Amino acid sequence: MEFKATYVSWKEIEEWTKGIRKMVVENNYNPDIIIGIARGGLVPARMVADYLFKKDLLSIKTEHWGLTATMNGKAVLKEKLNYDVTGKKVLIVDDITDTGESMKLSYNYVKSINPADVKTTSMLYIDGSNYTPDFYGKGLSKEEWAWFVFPWNVYEDTFNLSKKFMDVPVGVGELKEKLAENYGLNVEDIDLEEVLENIAALKMLKRHEGKFSIP
């Protein structure tokens, strides 16, 4: 197995984001502004903003991971805020803190633009990360790490994990077996054929009478 990958359900997303809400409330932190780290933190940030009744929801963008489970070297801040956070209490939200580089970069940037206070949170926190968020929905050990395929990146990650097997036309059943063998990925959690058909409609895959390949 190259590395473990797992699909995440909306039920798990709700459980983890409510875990964030619980920790924030228990620690009496009342942010004025929620900032989601794009792209992965955008949906969790919106959910946390709803749970905490916060209307000021902003985003910044960092890049660290490139293609699925492949890092692009050092984390880089790609999009800054066009908003004055001076004197405001800020909560930064991401989907997962694994290396910690993106969260650390985001924290340092927001801290530099004169907020009253900055706290950080992520749905998942991997123990041993270079950065520990103030709040998190669920903590995991290094041994429990996997490439988590969240509902908002099912197409992108499924495509990136699958395309190495698609130099020649591959059927859905065979592809399921390869994904399970190489990543331990339970493809029964999604409609793989529908995902592949929709990717093919974008001309990123080629159809061959029930099989698919890279064009």
Side-chain angles (χ1 to χ4, degrees):
M1 186 181 297
E2 293 187 37
F3 58 85
K4 182 174 176 57
T6 183
Y7 287 109
V8 174
S9 69
W10 281 110
K11 182 178 180 180
E12 289 171 307
I13 298 299
E14 186 173 8
E15 175 187 334
W16 298 337
T17 50
K18 285 183 176 178
I20 291 172
R21 181 207 63 80
K22 185 174 185 291
M23 287 188 73
V24 170
V25 172
E26 286 178 348
N27 282 271
N28 297 311
Y29 191 65
N30 185 24
D32 302 298
I33 297 170
I34 307 289
I35 297 178
I37 301 178
R39 295 177 296 164
L42 295 179
V43 176
R46 179 62 185 91
M47 296 175 75
V48 171
D50 180 43
Y51 297 152
L52 298 178
F53 286 84
K54 302 301 175 183
K55 290 189 175 181
D56 285 339
L57 176 62
L58 311 173
S59 70
I60 57 178
K61 184 178 181 183
T62 66
E63 287 187 1
H64 190 209
W65 293 96
L67 296 177
T68 301
T70 304
M71 280 187 286
N72 278 344
K74 187 177 180 180
V76 177
L77 185 67
K78 300 291 287 188
E79 292 182 12
K80 299 181 179 181
L81 291 175
N82 184 22
Y83 193 93
D84 185 8
V85 301
T86 301
K88 304 291 187 180
K89 295 172 71 174
V90 176
L91 180 64
I92 301 173
V93 183
D94 206 358
D95 51 1
I96 182 170
T97 303
D98 41 21
T99 68
E101 296 301 320
S102 291
M103 187 67 87
K104 185 190 300 183
L105 179 67
S106 301
Y107 173 83
N108 288 338
Y109 162 65
V110 175
K111 190 72 174 176
S112 73
I113 53 177
N114 302 315
D117 194 16
V118 183
K119 300 291 186 186
T120 55
T121 184
S122 59
M123 292 191 304
L124 297 174
Y125 163 62
I126 308 299
D127 185 39
S129 165
N130 291 328
Y131 183 92
T132 303
D134 297 287
F135 317 116
Y136 50 88
K138 183 177 182 179
L140 298 172
S141 68
K142 290 181 180 179
E143 292 71 29
E144 294 175 291
W145 180 91
W147 182 262
F148 293 96
V149 183
F150 297 105
W152 45 84
N153 55 284
V154 166
Y155 279 45
E156 179 181 324
D157 283 350
T158 301
F159 176 71
N160 287 330
L161 293 172
S162 300
K163 65 183 181 181
K164 66 177 293 182
F165 309 117
M166 306 177 86
D167 290 335
V168 297
V170 177
V172 174
E174 183 182 356
L175 184 58
K176 286 182 178 181
E177 292 176 1
K178 289 183 179 296
L179 290 171
E181 179 182 346
N182 285 269
Y183 307 109
L185 191 59
N186 182 9
V187 188
E188 301 305 320
D189 292 333
I190 65 165
D191 187 337
L192 181 59
E193 184 169 6
E194 179 184 84
V195 170
L196 296 175
E197 287 285 355
N198 288 333
I199 294 173
L202 298 173
K203 311 300 183 185
M204 295 172 65
L205 290 175
K206 188 175 181 180
R207 296 185 185 89
H208 304 267
E209 297 183 354
K211 295 186 177 183
F212 300 86
S213 70
I214 297 295

